[in-house]
Amino acid sequence: IVFFGSEQYESIADFYVDAVDATVWLEQSACTILEYDSFLFGFCDRETTETDGVLTFVTETRNGVDAYYERLADRARGPPTENEEYDIYQFFAEDPDGRTMEFQTFLHDTDPV
């Protein structure tokens, strides 16, 4: 589980539920742990917001990345593009706390997660 401190942990958790289709996996007294596919990440009530790191959400297809781009275009740093170095299709966006989110699909075969 990856945890981030947040000055607004309840509303940031709601953002990921609404914008990324994450679900609440566990609600604690001052932390919310979310689940997206097999990825667990949490936000905890803190006096300062931690924004280091990247939350990467992997979809099965380019269409999945495009769908997230349509939903989050106002937060995106640019449209989805192919990244030849990593053989992926991706775009980056920011959540309401300023954390970096990446949405990608692999353009080559990978082992199932």
Side-chain angles (χ1 to χ4, degrees):
I1 303 172
V2 176
F3 286 98
F4 292 99
S6 178
E7 297 169 64
Q8 53 179 354
Y9 86 99
E10 291 172 333
S11 63
I12 202 71
D14 290 342
F15 167 79
Y16 280 94
V17 168
D18 295 339
V20 182
D21 299 326
T23 57
V24 175
W25 185 75
L26 180 65
E27 190 70 60
Q28 298 176 310
S29 62
C31 287
T32 300
I33 301 172
L34 302 173
E35 180 177 22
Y36 173 85
D37 203 16
S38 62
F39 179 33
L40 296 177
F41 56 105
F43 300 97
C44 299
D45 189 23
R46 298 293 183 265
E47 290 185 17
T48 58
T49 294
E50 298 171 320
T51 58
D52 292 339
V54 176
L55 295 166
T56 299
F57 298 89
V58 178
T59 70
E60 294 292 321
T61 65
R62 293 171 70 110
N63 288 340
V65 173
D66 291 338
Y68 278 116
Y69 178 73
E70 288 177 24
R71 187 183 294 181
L72 297 166
D74 62 329
R75 299 187 164 280
R77 294 181 185 163
T81 60
E82 284 191 29
N83 181 321
E84 292 180 11
E85 180 177 359
Y86 297 107
D87 200 16
I88 60 175
Y89 180 68
Q90 71 185 140
F91 78 93
F92 291 93
E94 288 187 5
D95 77 9
D97 273 342
R99 262 178 228 95
T100 300
M101 301 181 297
E102 175 188 22
F103 296 84
Q104 74 169 52
T105 189
F106 292 98
L107 300 176
H108 56 85
D109 291 334
T110 61
D111 290 333
V113 177

mmCIF file of all heavy atoms in Angstrom, residues 43-73:
data_model
loop_
_atom_site.group_PDB
_atom_site.id
_atom_site.type_symbol
_atom_site.label_atom_id
_atom_site.label_comp_id
_atom_site.label_asym_id
_atom_site.label_seq_id
_atom_site.Cartn_x
_atom_site.Cartn_y
_atom_site.Cartn_z
ATOM 1 N N PHE A 43 -4.815 7.737 1.590
ATOM 2 C CA PHE A 43 -4.610 9.128 1.953
ATOM 3 C C PHE A 43 -4.959 9.283 3.419
ATOM 4 O O PHE A 43 -6.020 8.830 3.862
ATOM 5 C CB PHE A 43 -5.481 10.040 1.088
ATOM 6 C CG PHE A 43 -5.160 9.907 -0.372
ATOM 7 C CD1 PHE A 43 -5.907 9.094 -1.201
ATOM 8 C CD2 PHE A 43 -4.078 10.578 -0.913
ATOM 9 C CE1 PHE A 43 -5.606 8.954 -2.542
ATOM 10 C CE2 PHE A 43 -3.753 10.444 -2.258
ATOM 11 C CZ PHE A 43 -4.522 9.632 -3.065
ATOM 12 N N CYS A 44 -4.058 9.923 4.163
ATOM 13 C CA CYS A 44 -4.237 10.091 5.594
ATOM 14 C C CYS A 44 -4.228 11.568 5.964
ATOM 15 O O CYS A 44 -3.533 12.372 5.339
ATOM 16 C CB CYS A 44 -3.113 9.377 6.355
ATOM 17 S SG CYS A 44 -3.076 7.597 6.062
ATOM 18 N N ASP A 45 -4.996 11.898 6.980
ATOM 19 C CA ASP A 45 -5.106 13.274 7.447
ATOM 20 C C ASP A 45 -3.778 13.731 8.045
ATOM 21 O O ASP A 45 -3.294 13.152 9.013
ATOM 22 C CB ASP A 45 -6.216 13.361 8.488
ATOM 23 C CG ASP A 45 -6.557 14.775 8.871
ATOM 24 O OD1 ASP A 45 -6.282 15.697 8.078
ATOM 25 O OD2 ASP A 45 -7.111 14.959 9.976
ATOM 26 N N ARG A 46 -3.189 14.752 7.436
ATOM 27 C CA ARG A 46 -1.916 15.304 7.903
ATOM 28 C C ARG A 46 -1.961 16.823 7.796
ATOM 29 O O ARG A 46 -2.794 17.388 7.092
ATOM 30 C CB ARG A 46 -0.739 14.770 7.062
ATOM 31 C CG ARG A 46 -0.549 13.267 7.125
ATOM 32 C CD ARG A 46 -0.111 12.818 8.526
ATOM 33 N NE ARG A 46 0.140 11.392 8.576
ATOM 34 C CZ ARG A 46 -0.741 10.475 8.965
ATOM 35 N NH1 ARG A 46 -1.954 10.838 9.320
ATOM 36 N NH2 ARG A 46 -0.419 9.196 8.992
ATOM 37 N N GLU A 47 -1.025 17.474 8.469
ATOM 38 C CA GLU A 47 -0.962 18.942 8.432
ATOM 39 C C GLU A 47 -0.383 19.468 7.131
ATOM 40 O O GLU A 47 -0.586 20.628 6.784
ATOM 41 C CB GLU A 47 -0.164 19.457 9.619
ATOM 42 C CG GLU A 47 -0.900 19.259 10.939
ATOM 43 C CD GLU A 47 -0.163 19.868 12.116
ATOM 44 O OE1 GLU A 47 0.734 20.712 11.903
ATOM 45 O OE2 GLU A 47 -0.500 19.489 13.250
ATOM 46 N N THR A 48 0.365 18.626 6.414
ATOM 47 C CA THR A 48 0.905 19.025 5.114
ATOM 48 C C THR A 48 0.597 17.920 4.102
ATOM 49 O O THR A 48 0.466 16.749 4.453
ATOM 50 C CB THR A 48 2.430 19.256 5.158
ATOM 51 O OG1 THR A 48 3.073 18.058 5.605
ATOM 52 C CG2 THR A 48 2.796 20.394 6.089
ATOM 53 N N THR A 49 0.499 18.318 2.849
ATOM 54 C CA THR A 49 0.191 17.392 1.769
ATOM 55 C C THR A 49 1.482 16.883 1.141
ATOM 56 O O THR A 49 2.359 17.675 0.801
ATOM 57 C CB THR A 49 -0.671 18.095 0.703
ATOM 58 O OG1 THR A 49 -1.936 18.406 1.299
ATOM 59 C CG2 THR A 49 -0.894 17.220 -0.509
ATOM 60 N N GLU A 50 1.594 15.555 0.997
ATOM 61 C CA GLU A 50 2.734 14.937 0.320
ATOM 62 C C GLU A 50 2.378 14.744 -1.151
ATOM 63 O O GLU A 50 1.353 14.139 -1.463
ATOM 64 C CB GLU A 50 3.062 13.576 0.943
ATOM 65 C CG GLU A 50 3.458 13.658 2.395
ATOM 66 C CD GLU A 50 3.573 12.285 3.032
ATOM 67 O OE1 GLU A 50 2.739 11.403 2.742
ATOM 68 O OE2 GLU A 50 4.500 12.110 3.819
ATOM 69 N N THR A 51 3.228 15.257 -2.034
ATOM 70 C CA THR A 51 2.933 15.153 -3.464
ATOM 71 C C THR A 51 4.039 14.453 -4.240
ATOM 72 O O THR A 51 3.957 14.345 -5.463
ATOM 73 C CB THR A 51 2.696 16.543 -4.080
ATOM 74 O OG1 THR A 51 3.856 17.341 -3.867
ATOM 75 C CG2 THR A 51 1.470 17.218 -3.480
ATOM 76 N N ASP A 52 5.088 13.981 -3.582
ATOM 77 C CA ASP A 52 6.159 13.283 -4.289
ATOM 78 C C ASP A 52 5.670 11.917 -4.761
ATOM 79 O O ASP A 52 4.850 11.277 -4.104
ATOM 80 C CB ASP A 52 7.380 13.089 -3.391
ATOM 81 C CG ASP A 52 8.067 14.402 -3.067
ATOM 82 O OD1 ASP A 52 7.867 15.372 -3.812
ATOM 83 O OD2 ASP A 52 8.793 14.458 -2.063
ATOM 84 N N GLY A 53 6.191 11.484 -5.888
ATOM 85 C CA GLY A 53 5.808 10.190 -6.439
ATOM 86 C C GLY A 53 4.789 10.356 -7.556
ATOM 87 O O GLY A 53 4.299 11.449 -7.833
ATOM 88 N N VAL A 54 4.473 9.246 -8.210
ATOM 89 C CA VAL A 54 3.519 9.215 -9.315
ATOM 90 C C VAL A 54 2.572 8.046 -9.085
ATOM 91 O O VAL A 54 3.015 6.926 -8.832
ATOM 92 C CB VAL A 54 4.239 9.039 -10.676
ATOM 93 C CG1 VAL A 54 3.228 8.904 -11.806
ATOM 94 C CG2 VAL A 54 5.207 10.169 -10.928
ATOM 95 N N LEU A 55 1.279 8.297 -9.176
ATOM 96 C CA LEU A 55 0.288 7.228 -9.136
ATOM 97 C C LEU A 55 -0.015 6.846 -10.572
ATOM 98 O O LEU A 55 -0.553 7.643 -11.340
ATOM 99 C CB LEU A 55 -0.991 7.719 -8.450
ATOM 100 C CG LEU A 55 -0.848 8.077 -6.977
ATOM 101 C CD1 LEU A 55 -2.058 8.864 -6.506
ATOM 102 C CD2 LEU A 55 -0.692 6.811 -6.170
ATOM 103 N N THR A 56 0.350 5.622 -10.963
ATOM 104 C CA THR A 56 0.168 5.173 -12.342
ATOM 105 C C THR A 56 -0.994 4.187 -12.407
ATOM 106 O O THR A 56 -1.006 3.184 -11.695
ATOM 107 C CB THR A 56 1.451 4.521 -12.880
ATOM 108 O OG1 THR A 56 2.498 5.487 -12.850
ATOM 109 C CG2 THR A 56 1.261 4.028 -14.305
ATOM 110 N N PHE A 57 -1.933 4.475 -13.285
ATOM 111 C CA PHE A 57 -3.099 3.635 -13.495
ATOM 112 C C PHE A 57 -2.980 3.012 -14.881
ATOM 113 O O PHE A 57 -2.886 3.720 -15.879
ATOM 114 C CB PHE A 57 -4.384 4.460 -13.381
ATOM 115 C CG PHE A 57 -4.546 5.073 -12.019
ATOM 116 C CD1 PHE A 57 -4.022 6.328 -11.744
ATOM 117 C CD2 PHE A 57 -5.181 4.378 -11.007
ATOM 118 C CE1 PHE A 57 -4.146 6.893 -10.484
ATOM 119 C CE2 PHE A 57 -5.313 4.926 -9.740
ATOM 120 C CZ PHE A 57 -4.786 6.190 -9.480
ATOM 121 N N VAL A 58 -2.960 1.675 -14.926
ATOM 122 C CA VAL A 58 -2.745 0.949 -16.174
ATOM 123 C C VAL A 58 -4.086 0.427 -16.675
ATOM 124 O O VAL A 58 -4.837 -0.202 -15.934
ATOM 125 C CB VAL A 58 -1.761 -0.222 -15.963
ATOM 126 C CG1 VAL A 58 -1.575 -1.016 -17.249
ATOM 127 C CG2 VAL A 58 -0.417 0.293 -15.451
ATOM 128 N N THR A 59 -4.375 0.698 -17.952
ATOM 129 C CA THR A 59 -5.577 0.173 -18.588
ATOM 130 C C THR A 59 -5.175 -0.910 -19.586
ATOM 131 O O THR A 59 -4.004 -1.043 -19.940
ATOM 132 C CB THR A 59 -6.364 1.287 -19.308
ATOM 133 O OG1 THR A 59 -5.625 1.713 -20.454
ATOM 134 C CG2 THR A 59 -6.626 2.470 -18.394
ATOM 135 N N GLU A 60 -6.138 -1.657 -20.041
ATOM 136 C CA GLU A 60 -5.871 -2.751 -20.974
ATOM 137 C C GLU A 60 -5.613 -2.269 -22.396
ATOM 138 O O GLU A 60 -4.943 -2.945 -23.167
ATOM 139 C CB GLU A 60 -7.054 -3.732 -20.983
ATOM 140 C CG GLU A 60 -7.258 -4.467 -19.671
ATOM 141 C CD GLU A 60 -6.125 -5.450 -19.381
ATOM 142 O OE1 GLU A 60 -5.639 -6.110 -20.315
ATOM 143 O OE2 GLU A 60 -5.729 -5.530 -18.208
ATOM 144 N N THR A 61 -6.171 -1.098 -22.754
ATOM 145 C CA THR A 61 -6.114 -0.650 -24.145
ATOM 146 C C THR A 61 -5.868 0.855 -24.239
ATOM 147 O O THR A 61 -6.029 1.591 -23.260
ATOM 148 C CB THR A 61 -7.444 -0.943 -24.868
ATOM 149 O OG1 THR A 61 -8.475 -0.144 -24.262
ATOM 150 C CG2 THR A 61 -7.809 -2.418 -24.810
ATOM 151 N N ARG A 62 -5.541 1.296 -25.445
ATOM 152 C CA ARG A 62 -5.426 2.729 -25.726
ATOM 153 C C ARG A 62 -6.764 3.424 -25.479
ATOM 154 O O ARG A 62 -6.809 4.562 -25.010
ATOM 155 C CB ARG A 62 -4.995 2.954 -27.172
ATOM 156 C CG ARG A 62 -3.594 2.498 -27.476
ATOM 157 C CD ARG A 62 -3.314 2.547 -28.971
ATOM 158 N NE ARG A 62 -3.244 3.923 -29.441
ATOM 159 C CZ ARG A 62 -2.131 4.519 -29.835
ATOM 160 N NH1 ARG A 62 -0.992 3.865 -29.828
ATOM 161 N NH2 ARG A 62 -2.159 5.765 -30.252
ATOM 162 N N ASN A 63 -7.854 2.757 -25.827
ATOM 163 C CA ASN A 63 -9.181 3.336 -25.604
ATOM 164 C C ASN A 63 -9.416 3.643 -24.135
ATOM 165 O O ASN A 63 -10.081 4.630 -23.796
ATOM 166 C CB ASN A 63 -10.286 2.415 -26.132
ATOM 167 C CG ASN A 63 -10.337 2.388 -27.641
ATOM 168 O OD1 ASN A 63 -9.826 3.283 -28.317
ATOM 169 N ND2 ASN A 63 -10.939 1.347 -28.187
ATOM 170 N N GLY A 64 -8.879 2.793 -23.256
ATOM 171 C CA GLY A 64 -8.995 3.041 -21.822
ATOM 172 C C GLY A 64 -8.263 4.312 -21.414
ATOM 173 O O GLY A 64 -8.770 5.114 -20.619
ATOM 174 N N VAL A 65 -7.060 4.510 -21.959
ATOM 175 C CA VAL A 65 -6.302 5.734 -21.687
ATOM 176 C C VAL A 65 -7.070 6.933 -22.227
ATOM 177 O O VAL A 65 -7.214 7.959 -21.537
ATOM 178 C CB VAL A 65 -4.888 5.655 -22.305
ATOM 179 C CG1 VAL A 65 -4.155 6.989 -22.170
ATOM 180 C CG2 VAL A 65 -4.079 4.537 -21.655
ATOM 181 N N ASP A 66 -7.588 6.807 -23.444
ATOM 182 C CA ASP A 66 -8.348 7.906 -24.048
ATOM 183 C C ASP A 66 -9.584 8.257 -23.221
ATOM 184 O O ASP A 66 -9.943 9.437 -23.088
ATOM 185 C CB ASP A 66 -8.745 7.565 -25.480
ATOM 186 C CG ASP A 66 -7.552 7.521 -26.426
ATOM 187 O OD1 ASP A 66 -6.503 8.131 -26.122
ATOM 188 O OD2 ASP A 66 -7.677 6.871 -27.484
ATOM 189 N N ALA A 67 -10.242 7.255 -22.671
ATOM 190 C CA ALA A 67 -11.433 7.511 -21.851
ATOM 191 C C ALA A 67 -11.068 8.308 -20.600
ATOM 192 O O ALA A 67 -11.788 9.238 -20.217
ATOM 193 C CB ALA A 67 -12.108 6.192 -21.479
ATOM 194 N N TYR A 68 -9.962 7.956 -19.966
ATOM 195 C CA TYR A 68 -9.512 8.736 -18.807
ATOM 196 C C TYR A 68 -9.108 10.146 -19.220
ATOM 197 O O TYR A 68 -9.358 11.110 -18.496
ATOM 198 C CB TYR A 68 -8.376 8.049 -18.060
ATOM 199 C CG TYR A 68 -8.871 6.988 -17.119
ATOM 200 C CD1 TYR A 68 -8.534 5.660 -17.307
ATOM 201 C CD2 TYR A 68 -9.681 7.320 -16.040
ATOM 202 C CE1 TYR A 68 -8.994 4.684 -16.447
ATOM 203 C CE2 TYR A 68 -10.154 6.341 -15.181
ATOM 204 C CZ TYR A 68 -9.810 5.029 -15.377
ATOM 205 O OH TYR A 68 -10.273 4.063 -14.528
ATOM 206 N N TYR A 69 -8.506 10.285 -20.385
ATOM 207 C CA TYR A 69 -8.138 11.618 -20.852
ATOM 208 C C TYR A 69 -9.393 12.476 -21.047
ATOM 209 O O TYR A 69 -9.427 13.642 -20.629
ATOM 210 C CB TYR A 69 -7.329 11.556 -22.143
ATOM 211 C CG TYR A 69 -6.986 12.940 -22.647
ATOM 212 C CD1 TYR A 69 -6.012 13.701 -21.998
ATOM 213 C CD2 TYR A 69 -7.644 13.493 -23.723
ATOM 214 C CE1 TYR A 69 -5.713 14.983 -22.426
ATOM 215 C CE2 TYR A 69 -7.356 14.773 -24.162
ATOM 216 C CZ TYR A 69 -6.381 15.516 -23.508
ATOM 217 O OH TYR A 69 -6.093 16.785 -23.915
ATOM 218 N N GLU A 70 -10.427 11.910 -21.640
ATOM 219 C CA GLU A 70 -11.671 12.664 -21.820
ATOM 220 C C GLU A 70 -12.235 13.115 -20.477
ATOM 221 O O GLU A 70 -12.731 14.229 -20.334
ATOM 222 C CB GLU A 70 -12.706 11.818 -22.563
ATOM 223 C CG GLU A 70 -12.381 11.631 -24.035
ATOM 224 C CD GLU A 70 -13.379 10.728 -24.739
ATOM 225 O OE1 GLU A 70 -14.531 10.608 -24.256
ATOM 226 O OE2 GLU A 70 -13.007 10.141 -25.770
ATOM 227 N N ARG A 71 -12.141 12.247 -19.479
ATOM 228 C CA ARG A 71 -12.665 12.551 -18.154
ATOM 229 C C ARG A 71 -11.808 13.587 -17.425
ATOM 230 O O ARG A 71 -12.324 14.395 -16.665
ATOM 231 C CB ARG A 71 -12.713 11.251 -17.345
ATOM 232 C CG ARG A 71 -13.383 11.394 -15.998
ATOM 233 C CD ARG A 71 -13.330 10.105 -15.220
ATOM 234 N NE ARG A 71 -14.119 9.070 -15.854
ATOM 235 C CZ ARG A 71 -14.251 7.850 -15.371
ATOM 236 N NH1 ARG A 71 -13.629 7.514 -14.261
ATOM 237 N NH2 ARG A 71 -14.974 6.954 -15.987
ATOM 238 N N LEU A 72 -10.488 13.575 -17.669
ATOM 239 C CA LEU A 72 -9.548 14.398 -16.895
ATOM 240 C C LEU A 72 -8.793 15.423 -17.729
ATOM 241 O O LEU A 72 -7.773 15.951 -17.300
ATOM 242 C CB LEU A 72 -8.534 13.474 -16.199
ATOM 243 C CG LEU A 72 -9.136 12.513 -15.181
ATOM 244 C CD1 LEU A 72 -8.133 11.430 -14.806
ATOM 245 C CD2 LEU A 72 -9.609 13.268 -13.957
ATOM 246 N N ALA A 73 -9.295 15.751 -18.913
ATOM 247 C CA ALA A 73 -8.574 16.660 -19.820
ATOM 248 C C ALA A 73 -8.242 17.993 -19.163
ATOM 249 O O ALA A 73 -7.176 18.563 -19.410
ATOM 250 C CB ALA A 73 -9.389 16.877 -21.093
#
